[in-house]
Amino acid sequence: MAQVACGIDIGGSGVKSALVDLETGEFVGERIRIETPKPATPDAVAEVCRQLLERLEVGPETPVGIAFPAPVIHGVVPFIANLDPSWAGINVNELMERHLGRRVVPLNDADAAGIAEVAYGAAKGVDGLVILTTQGTGIGSAVIMNGVLVPNTELGHLEIDGYDAEKRASSGQKTLQDLSWKKWAKRLQRYYSHVEMLFSPDLFVVGGGVSKNHEKFMPLLDLKTPMVPAKLFNTAGIVGAASFAAQQADSAEG
Ligand code: BGC
């Protein structure tokens, strides 16, 4: 497998990229961030990805993975909740090949975080069912059974009490509505106990920036399932995308 791969993480406010040492899961050199263009149309975002690869001097042989805040089904984004709606129906393989002049490997951002946590973080060596949720503007999910990802789950969009779950329980809503930790934890309780009832997981991993403050909300939750913060805080999307791209390059060769 390649020793180094490149990951790009497309978010609502920034598009971030770095080269990743696949042995350790750490960045090689600096991480570059470019503001997400407004509007964040497919062409505008693809152009930012081109600039990132250029600035990082990513060679044609280096695998590149791109994490999207949306499901990616056989290269196609079926819908997108938190970026420009014109992404719906876009084949990201074709889009990126047109702009970057090379193949890349697209995947969902929470799936990328899940892959990174399995390889280097909180889900490493964990048997059974792990559900990782990423907290941010939306709630992303990665469902992992004995280290193997079930891709493109969208547990942030479960409908609970008549609401799209992420519109109540995401950390983005905590910020937007200026909720106290206690008030937000009530919403988390409703959300995670529902997911627990549906899936009976062995472990919850919570990622996203807010997981740095896990001691502020995790002790307020009453769940049967153990819950731990992600280990790779804000690098998981990039690291997971890079790692996935390297795995895909390997299976294409072998
Ligand atoms: C999207 C998911 C994504 C999550 C985090 C949700 O709104 O539907 O695909 O993983 O946000 O970005």
Side-chain angles (χ1 to χ4, degrees):
M1 189 156 107
Q3 275 306 298
V4 171
C6 175
I8 300 181
D9 189 9
I10 299 173
S13 56
V15 185
K16 294 144 278 179
S17 183
L19 287 162
V20 177
D21 178 337
L22 298 169
E23 188 73 37
T24 61
E26 276 160 19
F27 290 166
V28 182
E30 57 170 344
R31 182 195 79 147
I32 303 183
R33 178 183 188 279
I34 297 181
E35 294 279 303
T36 306
K38 296 206 166 40
T41 59
D43 284 327
V45 171
E47 175 52 24
V48 167
C49 292
R50 194 194 61 73
Q51 289 169 21
L52 287 167
L53 295 190
E54 196 175 277
R55 280 174 59 185
L56 287 168
E57 297 178 7
V58 177
E61 299 300 314
T62 306
V64 175
I66 307 188
F68 288 83
V72 183
I73 319 288
H74 304 301
V76 176
V77 169
F79 68 88
I80 202 152
N82 298 310
L83 216 58
D84 197 78
S86 60
W87 280 90
I90 291 284
N91 184 314
V92 286
N93 287 328
E94 284 169 20
L95 171 81
M96 293 296 171
E97 201 150 347
R98 192 152 36 80
H99 282 264
L100 311 178
R102 58 161 296 156
R103 285 189 62 82
V104 297
V105 180
L107 76 165
N108 170 259
D109 57 2
D111 284 349
I115 289 168
E117 292 295 331
V118 167
Y120 312 103
K124 189 171 177 177
V126 178
D127 289 333
L129 184 65
V130 178
I131 297 189
L132 172 138
T133 51
T134 58
Q135 282 286 351
T137 309
I139 298 179
S141 60
V143 172
I144 299 145
M145 182 65 189
N146 291 334
V148 178
L149 175 78
V150 179
N152 291 309
T153 58
E154 285 287 330
L155 304 185
H157 296 297
L158 282 172
E159 190 182 314
I160 303 178
D161 303 329
Y163 291 95
D164 185 23
E166 70 176 25
K167 292 276 172 333
R168 300 277 297 162
S170 71
S171 61
Q173 289 297 320
K174 177 187 183 306
T175 311
L176 210 66
Q177 301 182 35
D178 199 17
L179 300 174
S180 64
W181 291 106
K182 206 170 145 202
K183 283 216 169 111
W184 186 52
K186 275 203 180 140
R187 295 183 177 195
L188 293 181
Q189 178 68 44
R190 180 78 187 95
Y191 177 66
Y192 286 108
S193 49
H194 191 68
V195 176
E196 179 173 70
M197 181 274 288
L198 291 174
F199 291 91
S200 304
D202 295 290
L203 180 68
F204 278 127
V205 179
V206 180
V210 80
S211 59
K212 267 186 227 142
N213 291 315
H214 58 92
E215 74 295 337
K216 297 246 170 64
F217 62 93
M218 285 189 188
L220 304 178
L221 301 179
D222 180 18
L223 298 161
K224 291 183 224 70
T225 314
M227 178 181 269
V228 295
K231 282 213 172 122
L232 284 89
F233 294 121
N234 54 5
T235 66
I238 295 176
V239 172
S243 163
F244 186 62
Q247 287 168 24
Q248 295 292 103
D250 254 22
S251 48
E253 268 169 30

PDB file of all heavy atoms in Angstrom, residues 10 68-72 79-82 108-111 134-141 152-154 156-157 164 166-167, ligand 1:
ATOM      1  N   ILE A  10     -14.325  18.299   2.702  1.00  0.00           N
ATOM      2  CA  ILE A  10     -15.155  19.440   2.299  1.00  0.00           C
ATOM      3  C   ILE A  10     -16.172  19.733   3.390  1.00  0.00           C
ATOM      4  O   ILE A  10     -16.996  18.870   3.726  1.00  0.00           O
ATOM      5  CB  ILE A  10     -15.874  19.131   0.968  1.00  0.00           C
ATOM      6  CG1 ILE A  10     -14.832  18.878  -0.124  1.00  0.00           C
ATOM      7  CG2 ILE A  10     -16.814  20.279   0.578  1.00  0.00           C
ATOM      8  CD1 ILE A  10     -15.404  18.413  -1.434  1.00  0.00           C
ATOM      9  N   PHE A  68     -17.038  14.119   1.537  1.00  0.00           N
ATOM     10  CA  PHE A  68     -18.164  15.025   1.254  1.00  0.00           C
ATOM     11  C   PHE A  68     -19.176  14.995   2.400  1.00  0.00           C
ATOM     12  O   PHE A  68     -19.423  13.923   2.953  1.00  0.00           O
ATOM     13  CB  PHE A  68     -18.908  14.578  -0.020  1.00  0.00           C
ATOM     14  CG  PHE A  68     -18.137  14.829  -1.268  1.00  0.00           C
ATOM     15  CD1 PHE A  68     -17.178  13.923  -1.687  1.00  0.00           C
ATOM     16  CD2 PHE A  68     -18.362  15.966  -2.015  1.00  0.00           C
ATOM     17  CE1 PHE A  68     -16.441  14.153  -2.837  1.00  0.00           C
ATOM     18  CE2 PHE A  68     -17.637  16.204  -3.168  1.00  0.00           C
ATOM     19  CZ  PHE A  68     -16.674  15.297  -3.579  1.00  0.00           C
ATOM     20  N   PRO A  69     -19.818  16.141   2.650  1.00  0.00           N
ATOM     21  CA  PRO A  69     -20.861  16.142   3.694  1.00  0.00           C
ATOM     22  C   PRO A  69     -22.193  15.619   3.163  1.00  0.00           C
ATOM     23  O   PRO A  69     -23.239  16.247   3.321  1.00  0.00           O
ATOM     24  CB  PRO A  69     -20.942  17.632   4.078  1.00  0.00           C
ATOM     25  CG  PRO A  69     -20.581  18.352   2.821  1.00  0.00           C
ATOM     26  CD  PRO A  69     -19.599  17.472   2.083  1.00  0.00           C
ATOM     27  N   ALA A  70     -22.136  14.472   2.514  1.00  0.00           N
ATOM     28  CA  ALA A  70     -23.319  13.883   1.872  1.00  0.00           C
ATOM     29  C   ALA A  70     -23.024  12.418   1.594  1.00  0.00           C
ATOM     30  O   ALA A  70     -21.853  12.038   1.502  1.00  0.00           O
ATOM     31  CB  ALA A  70     -23.587  14.594   0.537  1.00  0.00           C
ATOM     32  N   PRO A  71     -24.073  11.606   1.404  1.00  0.00           N
ATOM     33  CA  PRO A  71     -23.782  10.232   0.963  1.00  0.00           C
ATOM     34  C   PRO A  71     -23.189  10.270  -0.448  1.00  0.00           C
ATOM     35  O   PRO A  71     -23.470  11.195  -1.218  1.00  0.00           O
ATOM     36  CB  PRO A  71     -25.164   9.556   0.977  1.00  0.00           C
ATOM     37  CG  PRO A  71     -26.179  10.628   1.098  1.00  0.00           C
ATOM     38  CD  PRO A  71     -25.499  11.866   1.612  1.00  0.00           C
ATOM     39  N   VAL A  72     -22.372   9.285  -0.768  1.00  0.00           N
ATOM     40  CA  VAL A  72     -21.803   9.186  -2.118  1.00  0.00           C
ATOM     41  C   VAL A  72     -22.041   7.754  -2.583  1.00  0.00           C
ATOM     42  O   VAL A  72     -21.392   6.824  -2.110  1.00  0.00           O
ATOM     43  CB  VAL A  72     -20.288   9.498  -2.128  1.00  0.00           C
ATOM     44  CG1 VAL A  72     -19.751   9.451  -3.563  1.00  0.00           C
ATOM     45  CG2 VAL A  72     -19.992  10.865  -1.510  1.00  0.00           C
ATOM     46  N   PHE A  79     -28.315  13.464  -2.453  1.00  0.00           N
ATOM     47  CA  PHE A  79     -28.875  14.692  -1.867  1.00  0.00           C
ATOM     48  C   PHE A  79     -27.818  15.285  -0.957  1.00  0.00           C
ATOM     49  O   PHE A  79     -26.880  14.606  -0.538  1.00  0.00           O
ATOM     50  CB  PHE A  79     -30.161  14.406  -1.060  1.00  0.00           C
ATOM     51  CG  PHE A  79     -29.932  13.611   0.188  1.00  0.00           C
ATOM     52  CD1 PHE A  79     -29.614  14.241   1.398  1.00  0.00           C
ATOM     53  CD2 PHE A  79     -30.028  12.225   0.174  1.00  0.00           C
ATOM     54  CE1 PHE A  79     -29.392  13.505   2.555  1.00  0.00           C
ATOM     55  CE2 PHE A  79     -29.800  11.473   1.331  1.00  0.00           C
ATOM     56  CZ  PHE A  79     -29.485  12.119   2.523  1.00  0.00           C
ATOM     57  N   ILE A  80     -27.984  16.554  -0.652  1.00  0.00           N
ATOM     58  CA  ILE A  80     -27.015  17.193   0.240  1.00  0.00           C
ATOM     59  C   ILE A  80     -27.793  18.129   1.147  1.00  0.00           C
ATOM     60  O   ILE A  80     -28.649  18.892   0.694  1.00  0.00           O
ATOM     61  CB  ILE A  80     -25.909  17.906  -0.583  1.00  0.00           C
ATOM     62  CG1 ILE A  80     -24.641  18.112   0.235  1.00  0.00           C
ATOM     63  CG2 ILE A  80     -26.369  19.230  -1.169  1.00  0.00           C
ATOM     64  CD1 ILE A  80     -23.373  18.158  -0.608  1.00  0.00           C
ATOM     65  N   ALA A  81     -27.537  18.046   2.473  1.00  0.00           N
ATOM     66  CA  ALA A  81     -28.341  18.845   3.414  1.00  0.00           C
ATOM     67  C   ALA A  81     -27.691  20.193   3.702  1.00  0.00           C
ATOM     68  O   ALA A  81     -28.382  21.198   3.847  1.00  0.00           O
ATOM     69  CB  ALA A  81     -28.551  18.066   4.713  1.00  0.00           C
ATOM     70  N   ASN A  82     -26.364  20.227   3.761  1.00  0.00           N
ATOM     71  CA  ASN A  82     -25.712  21.433   4.287  1.00  0.00           C
ATOM     72  C   ASN A  82     -24.688  22.084   3.355  1.00  0.00           C
ATOM     73  O   ASN A  82     -23.751  22.734   3.810  1.00  0.00           O
ATOM     74  CB  ASN A  82     -25.056  21.099   5.641  1.00  0.00           C
ATOM     75  CG  ASN A  82     -26.082  20.669   6.666  1.00  0.00           C
ATOM     76  OD1 ASN A  82     -27.082  21.354   6.864  1.00  0.00           O
ATOM     77  ND2 ASN A  82     -25.872  19.523   7.286  1.00  0.00           N
ATOM     78  N   ASN A 108     -18.303   9.630   1.912  1.00  0.00           N
ATOM     79  CA  ASN A 108     -19.009  10.457   2.890  1.00  0.00           C
ATOM     80  C   ASN A 108     -18.058  10.872   4.022  1.00  0.00           C
ATOM     81  O   ASN A 108     -17.195  10.092   4.435  1.00  0.00           O
ATOM     82  CB  ASN A 108     -20.183   9.631   3.442  1.00  0.00           C
ATOM     83  CG  ASN A 108     -20.851  10.278   4.633  1.00  0.00           C
ATOM     84  OD1 ASN A 108     -20.606   9.887   5.781  1.00  0.00           O
ATOM     85  ND2 ASN A 108     -21.666  11.277   4.385  1.00  0.00           N
ATOM     86  N   ASP A 109     -18.235  12.090   4.541  1.00  0.00           N
ATOM     87  CA  ASP A 109     -17.296  12.589   5.558  1.00  0.00           C
ATOM     88  C   ASP A 109     -17.325  11.810   6.875  1.00  0.00           C
ATOM     89  O   ASP A 109     -16.277  11.566   7.490  1.00  0.00           O
ATOM     90  CB  ASP A 109     -17.496  14.106   5.804  1.00  0.00           C
ATOM     91  CG  ASP A 109     -18.909  14.486   6.217  1.00  0.00           C
ATOM     92  OD1 ASP A 109     -19.769  13.594   6.362  1.00  0.00           O
ATOM     93  OD2 ASP A 109     -19.159  15.701   6.398  1.00  0.00           O
ATOM     94  N   ALA A 110     -18.520  11.386   7.300  1.00  0.00           N
ATOM     95  CA  ALA A 110     -18.588  10.620   8.558  1.00  0.00           C
ATOM     96  C   ALA A 110     -18.008   9.213   8.352  1.00  0.00           C
ATOM     97  O   ALA A 110     -17.357   8.658   9.254  1.00  0.00           O
ATOM     98  CB  ALA A 110     -20.021  10.535   9.057  1.00  0.00           C
ATOM     99  N   ASP A 111     -18.212   8.651   7.170  1.00  0.00           N
ATOM    100  CA  ASP A 111     -17.586   7.354   6.868  1.00  0.00           C
ATOM    101  C   ASP A 111     -16.062   7.496   6.914  1.00  0.00           C
ATOM    102  O   ASP A 111     -15.360   6.616   7.429  1.00  0.00           O
ATOM    103  CB  ASP A 111     -18.017   6.846   5.492  1.00  0.00           C
ATOM    104  CG  ASP A 111     -19.435   6.278   5.504  1.00  0.00           C
ATOM    105  OD1 ASP A 111     -19.991   6.089   6.602  1.00  0.00           O
ATOM    106  OD2 ASP A 111     -19.976   6.028   4.414  1.00  0.00           O
ATOM    107  N   THR A 134     -20.609  12.128  13.897  1.00  0.00           N
ATOM    108  CA  THR A 134     -19.827  13.366  13.874  1.00  0.00           C
ATOM    109  C   THR A 134     -20.782  14.511  14.140  1.00  0.00           C
ATOM    110  O   THR A 134     -21.849  14.602  13.526  1.00  0.00           O
ATOM    111  CB  THR A 134     -19.141  13.574  12.510  1.00  0.00           C
ATOM    112  OG1 THR A 134     -20.135  13.591  11.484  1.00  0.00           O
ATOM    113  CG2 THR A 134     -18.142  12.478  12.221  1.00  0.00           C
ATOM    114  N   GLN A 135     -20.401  15.346  15.071  1.00  0.00           N
ATOM    115  CA  GLN A 135     -21.220  16.491  15.451  1.00  0.00           C
ATOM    116  C   GLN A 135     -20.676  17.749  14.786  1.00  0.00           C
ATOM    117  O   GLN A 135     -19.489  18.049  14.902  1.00  0.00           O
ATOM    118  CB  GLN A 135     -21.189  16.655  16.977  1.00  0.00           C
ATOM    119  CG  GLN A 135     -22.085  15.692  17.729  1.00  0.00           C
ATOM    120  CD  GLN A 135     -23.559  16.070  17.607  1.00  0.00           C
ATOM    121  OE1 GLN A 135     -23.914  17.124  17.099  1.00  0.00           O
ATOM    122  NE2 GLN A 135     -24.424  15.187  18.069  1.00  0.00           N
ATOM    123  N   GLY A 136     -21.549  18.470  14.098  1.00  0.00           N
ATOM    124  CA  GLY A 136     -21.155  19.718  13.451  1.00  0.00           C
ATOM    125  C   GLY A 136     -22.429  20.422  13.018  1.00  0.00           C
ATOM    126  O   GLY A 136     -23.436  20.341  13.737  1.00  0.00           O
ATOM    127  N   THR A 137     -22.409  21.049  11.845  1.00  0.00           N
ATOM    128  CA  THR A 137     -23.637  21.654  11.322  1.00  0.00           C
ATOM    129  C   THR A 137     -24.724  20.589  11.239  1.00  0.00           C
ATOM    130  O   THR A 137     -25.879  20.811  11.604  1.00  0.00           O
ATOM    131  CB  THR A 137     -23.382  22.222   9.906  1.00  0.00           C
ATOM    132  OG1 THR A 137     -22.223  23.036   9.960  1.00  0.00           O
ATOM    133  CG2 THR A 137     -24.556  23.017   9.408  1.00  0.00           C
ATOM    134  N   GLY A 138     -24.334  19.425  10.749  1.00  0.00           N
ATOM    135  CA  GLY A 138     -25.247  18.281  10.712  1.00  0.00           C
ATOM    136  C   GLY A 138     -24.751  17.195  11.659  1.00  0.00           C
ATOM    137  O   GLY A 138     -23.791  17.403  12.410  1.00  0.00           O
ATOM    138  N   ILE A 139     -25.421  16.050  11.633  1.00  0.00           N
ATOM    139  CA  ILE A 139     -24.895  14.870  12.344  1.00  0.00           C
ATOM    140  C   ILE A 139     -24.606  13.819  11.277  1.00  0.00           C
ATOM    141  O   ILE A 139     -25.505  13.440  10.510  1.00  0.00           O
ATOM    142  CB  ILE A 139     -25.908  14.308  13.371  1.00  0.00           C
ATOM    143  CG1 ILE A 139     -26.214  15.336  14.465  1.00  0.00           C
ATOM    144  CG2 ILE A 139     -25.386  13.010  13.975  1.00  0.00           C
ATOM    145  CD1 ILE A 139     -27.231  14.854  15.507  1.00  0.00           C
ATOM    146  N   GLY A 140     -23.354  13.399  11.205  1.00  0.00           N
ATOM    147  CA  GLY A 140     -22.987  12.335  10.268  1.00  0.00           C
ATOM    148  C   GLY A 140     -22.877  11.032  11.033  1.00  0.00           C
ATOM    149  O   GLY A 140     -22.693  11.032  12.257  1.00  0.00           O
ATOM    150  N   SER A 141     -22.981   9.906  10.326  1.00  0.00           N
ATOM    151  CA  SER A 141     -22.858   8.622  11.020  1.00  0.00           C
ATOM    152  C   SER A 141     -21.994   7.643  10.237  1.00  0.00           C
ATOM    153  O   SER A 141     -21.979   7.660   9.004  1.00  0.00           O
ATOM    154  CB  SER A 141     -24.240   8.003  11.253  1.00  0.00           C
ATOM    155  OG  SER A 141     -24.908   7.773  10.020  1.00  0.00           O
ATOM    156  N   ASN A 152     -22.458   4.923   3.973  1.00  0.00           N
ATOM    157  CA  ASN A 152     -23.590   5.788   3.601  1.00  0.00           C
ATOM    158  C   ASN A 152     -24.815   5.691   4.497  1.00  0.00           C
ATOM    159  O   ASN A 152     -25.935   5.917   4.039  1.00  0.00           O
ATOM    160  CB  ASN A 152     -23.977   5.553   2.133  1.00  0.00           C
ATOM    161  CG  ASN A 152     -22.901   6.063   1.195  1.00  0.00           C
ATOM    162  OD1 ASN A 152     -22.469   7.199   1.317  1.00  0.00           O
ATOM    163  ND2 ASN A 152     -22.440   5.217   0.287  1.00  0.00           N
ATOM    164  N   THR A 153     -24.612   5.374   5.761  1.00  0.00           N
ATOM    165  CA  THR A 153     -25.758   5.476   6.680  1.00  0.00           C
ATOM    166  C   THR A 153     -25.983   6.963   6.955  1.00  0.00           C
ATOM    167  O   THR A 153     -25.044   7.757   6.919  1.00  0.00           O
ATOM    168  CB  THR A 153     -25.497   4.735   8.003  1.00  0.00           C
ATOM    169  OG1 THR A 153     -24.325   5.274   8.614  1.00  0.00           O
ATOM    170  CG2 THR A 153     -25.318   3.251   7.771  1.00  0.00           C
ATOM    171  N   GLU A 154     -27.208   7.340   7.212  1.00  0.00           N
ATOM    172  CA  GLU A 154     -27.564   8.758   7.397  1.00  0.00           C
ATOM    173  C   GLU A 154     -28.374   8.903   8.684  1.00  0.00           C
ATOM    174  O   GLU A 154     -29.522   9.361   8.668  1.00  0.00           O
ATOM    175  CB  GLU A 154     -28.366   9.234   6.167  1.00  0.00           C
ATOM    176  CG  GLU A 154     -27.505   9.454   4.927  1.00  0.00           C
ATOM    177  CD  GLU A 154     -26.628  10.706   5.035  1.00  0.00           C
ATOM    178  OE1 GLU A 154     -27.020  11.669   5.698  1.00  0.00           O
ATOM    179  OE2 GLU A 154     -25.516  10.697   4.447  1.00  0.00           O
ATOM    180  N   GLY A 156     -28.153  10.904  11.012  1.00  0.00           N
ATOM    181  CA  GLY A 156     -28.444  12.286  11.409  1.00  0.00           C
ATOM    182  C   GLY A 156     -29.811  12.725  10.911  1.00  0.00           C
ATOM    183  O   GLY A 156     -30.377  13.701  11.396  1.00  0.00           O
ATOM    184  N   HIS A 157     -30.333  11.980   9.934  1.00  0.00           N
ATOM    185  CA  HIS A 157     -31.635  12.354   9.377  1.00  0.00           C
ATOM    186  C   HIS A 157     -32.758  11.427   9.841  1.00  0.00           C
ATOM    187  O   HIS A 157     -33.796  11.344   9.191  1.00  0.00           O
ATOM    188  CB  HIS A 157     -31.564  12.383   7.844  1.00  0.00           C
ATOM    189  CG  HIS A 157     -30.634  13.430   7.322  1.00  0.00           C
ATOM    190  ND1 HIS A 157     -30.824  14.771   7.522  1.00  0.00           N
ATOM    191  CD2 HIS A 157     -29.461  13.322   6.637  1.00  0.00           C
ATOM    192  CE1 HIS A 157     -29.826  15.457   6.961  1.00  0.00           C
ATOM    193  NE2 HIS A 157     -28.985  14.590   6.433  1.00  0.00           N
ATOM    194  N   ASP A 164     -36.282  16.360  11.822  1.00  0.00           N
ATOM    195  CA  ASP A 164     -35.058  15.790  11.285  1.00  0.00           C
ATOM    196  C   ASP A 164     -34.050  15.876  12.448  1.00  0.00           C
ATOM    197  O   ASP A 164     -33.782  16.974  12.954  1.00  0.00           O
ATOM    198  CB  ASP A 164     -34.628  16.680  10.100  1.00  0.00           C
ATOM    199  CG  ASP A 164     -33.431  16.152   9.365  1.00  0.00           C
ATOM    200  OD1 ASP A 164     -33.158  14.939   9.440  1.00  0.00           O
ATOM    201  OD2 ASP A 164     -32.747  16.964   8.698  1.00  0.00           O
ATOM    202  N   GLU A 166     -30.910  15.951  13.119  1.00  0.00           N
ATOM    203  CA  GLU A 166     -29.782  16.889  13.210  1.00  0.00           C
ATOM    204  C   GLU A 166     -30.244  18.334  13.401  1.00  0.00           C
ATOM    205  O   GLU A 166     -29.482  19.179  13.860  1.00  0.00           O
ATOM    206  CB  GLU A 166     -28.840  16.767  12.003  1.00  0.00           C
ATOM    207  CG  GLU A 166     -29.405  17.269  10.695  1.00  0.00           C
ATOM    208  CD  GLU A 166     -28.372  17.218   9.550  1.00  0.00           C
ATOM    209  OE1 GLU A 166     -27.429  16.406   9.600  1.00  0.00           O
ATOM    210  OE2 GLU A 166     -28.534  18.011   8.603  1.00  0.00           O
ATOM    211  N   LYS A 167     -31.502  18.610  13.085  1.00  0.00           N
ATOM    212  CA  LYS A 167     -32.023  19.974  13.279  1.00  0.00           C
ATOM    213  C   LYS A 167     -32.317  20.260  14.753  1.00  0.00           C
ATOM    214  O   LYS A 167     -32.605  21.386  15.152  1.00  0.00           O
ATOM    215  CB  LYS A 167     -33.303  20.182  12.452  1.00  0.00           C
ATOM    216  CG  LYS A 167     -33.069  20.186  10.962  1.00  0.00           C
ATOM    217  CD  LYS A 167     -32.635  21.585  10.512  1.00  0.00           C
ATOM    218  CE  LYS A 167     -32.173  21.741   9.094  1.00  0.00           C
ATOM    219  NZ  LYS A 167     -31.607  20.646   8.372  1.00  0.00           N
TER     220      LYS A 167
HETATM  221  C1  BGC B   1     -25.305  14.693   5.780  1.00  0.00           C
HETATM  222  C2  BGC B   1     -24.339  13.562   5.997  1.00  0.00           C
HETATM  223  C3  BGC B   1     -23.048  14.104   6.589  1.00  0.00           C
HETATM  224  C4  BGC B   1     -23.335  14.918   7.845  1.00  0.00           C
HETATM  225  C5  BGC B   1     -22.077  15.569   8.398  1.00  0.00           C
HETATM  226  C6  BGC B   1     -25.529  15.404   7.103  1.00  0.00           C
HETATM  227  O1  BGC B   1     -26.433  16.447   6.923  1.00  0.00           O
HETATM  228  O2  BGC B   1     -26.553  14.217   5.266  1.00  0.00           O
HETATM  229  O3  BGC B   1     -24.076  12.892   4.802  1.00  0.00           O
HETATM  230  O4  BGC B   1     -22.191  13.036   6.907  1.00  0.00           O
HETATM  231  O5  BGC B   1     -24.288  15.915   7.584  1.00  0.00           O
HETATM  232  O6  BGC B   1     -21.491  16.425   7.479  1.00  0.00           O
END
